Amino acid sequence: MAVVETVLTRVPEPLRSVLIRHREMLKFGIVGGTTFVVDNGIWYLLKLTVLEPKPTTAKAIAIIVATIVNYVLNREWSFRTRGGRESHHEAALFFAFSGIAMVINLIPVYVSRYVLDLEVPHVSRLTQEVADFAAGSVIGMLLAMAFKFWAFKKWVFPDELGHRRRQVAELVE
C-alpha cells in the first residue's frame, strides 16, 4: 500500500473523501513540503556563509537545486498518471515553467531587500532574517507554487496525454 493510501486510511471519513478527490493536489503539496526543506536548507546555508552579501543569488541557487528534486518527485509520484510526452520535451516544459516560477519567487525577496531596505544596517539582523523568510519562503513560494500547480497540470503533465502513463502504471501495480 502506498504512503498516501496508508495515511488516508487513518483519516476520518468526511475528510478522507475530500482528500481522495484531491489526491493529486495532496501529493503535490507533499512534494512541495519536501522541496521547501531542500530550498530553505540550501538557501540559509549559502546566505549565512559564502553568499552572505548576495541573498537573492543564494535563493536562486537553492531554487534551482530544489527544482531538480521537484521534477523527479512530481514526474514519478504526483503526476505519474498524467503526461506522456517524450521525456526531454516534458523536462523542457517543466524547467521553463519552473524558471518563470523562480522569478515569481525571487520578486518578494528583491522587493524586501532592495526596495523596502529591510537589510542590515537599515534594520536589525533579526528583522532582516524574518523579512527574508517571509518574503522568500512564504510569500514568494506560495505565489510560485500556485503558478506551478496550474502550469504543470495544464501544460507539463496534461491529463489528455495521461492514458499512456496510466496504462503503464496499471501494468506495474
Side-chain angles (χ1 to χ4, degrees):
M1 187 178 283
V3 174
V4 172
E5 283 75 20
T6 304
V7 171
L8 288 174
T9 60
R10 293 183 168 87
V11 175
E13 181 45 47
L15 181 58
R16 183 182 316 138
S17 60
V18 171
L19 292 176
I20 288 172
R21 264 195 320 273
H22 301 289
R23 177 179 288 152
E24 202 169 65
M25 189 181 300
L26 177 64
K27 288 180 176 183
F28 183 81
I30 292 168
V31 168
T34 302
T35 55
F36 176 85
V37 172
V38 171
D39 179 356
N40 283 295
I42 293 170
W43 184 32
Y44 277 94
L45 178 70
L46 292 174
K47 84 174 200 141
L48 296 176
T49 58
V50 296
L51 290 175
E52 185 176 353
K54 306 261 186 205
T56 306
T57 303
K59 184 66 172 173
I61 292 168
I63 290 170
I64 290 167
V65 173
T67 299
I68 294 167
V69 173
N70 193 280
Y71 174 68
V72 172
L73 293 176
N74 274 311
R75 183 174 197 282
E76 299 302 324
W77 192 52
S78 300
F79 298 114
R80 73 180 176 87
T81 60
R82 288 177 163 266
R85 302 179 195 280
E86 295 292 323
S87 294
H88 64 280
H89 185 81
E90 187 176 83
L93 285 171
F94 184 93
F95 288 106
F97 283 114
S98 293
I100 295 167
M102 182 171 80
V103 171
I104 292 169
N105 197 324
L106 291 174
I107 291 169
V109 176
Y110 183 86
V111 169
S112 172
R113 280 289 182 112
Y114 306 115
V115 175
L116 301 176
D117 283 330
L118 294 175
E119 64 179 336
V120 174
H122 306 290
V123 297
S124 71
R125 175 79 172 192
L126 177 63
T127 301
Q128 172 184 290
E129 296 308 318
V130 170
D132 280 354
F133 183 80
S137 297
V138 178
I139 297 168
M141 196 169 287
L142 287 173
L143 292 171
M145 191 168 83
F147 169 76
K148 287 186 345 180
F149 185 72
W150 170 80
F152 291 172
K153 280 186 73 168
K154 176 97 174 133
W155 302 103
V156 181
F157 306 109
D159 200 31
E160 60 269 10
L161 297 176
H163 65 279
R164 277 193 294 175
R165 291 196 71 179
R166 277 194 288 278
Q167 288 171 346
V168 170
E170 288 170 1
L171 291 174
V172 172
E173 291 176 353

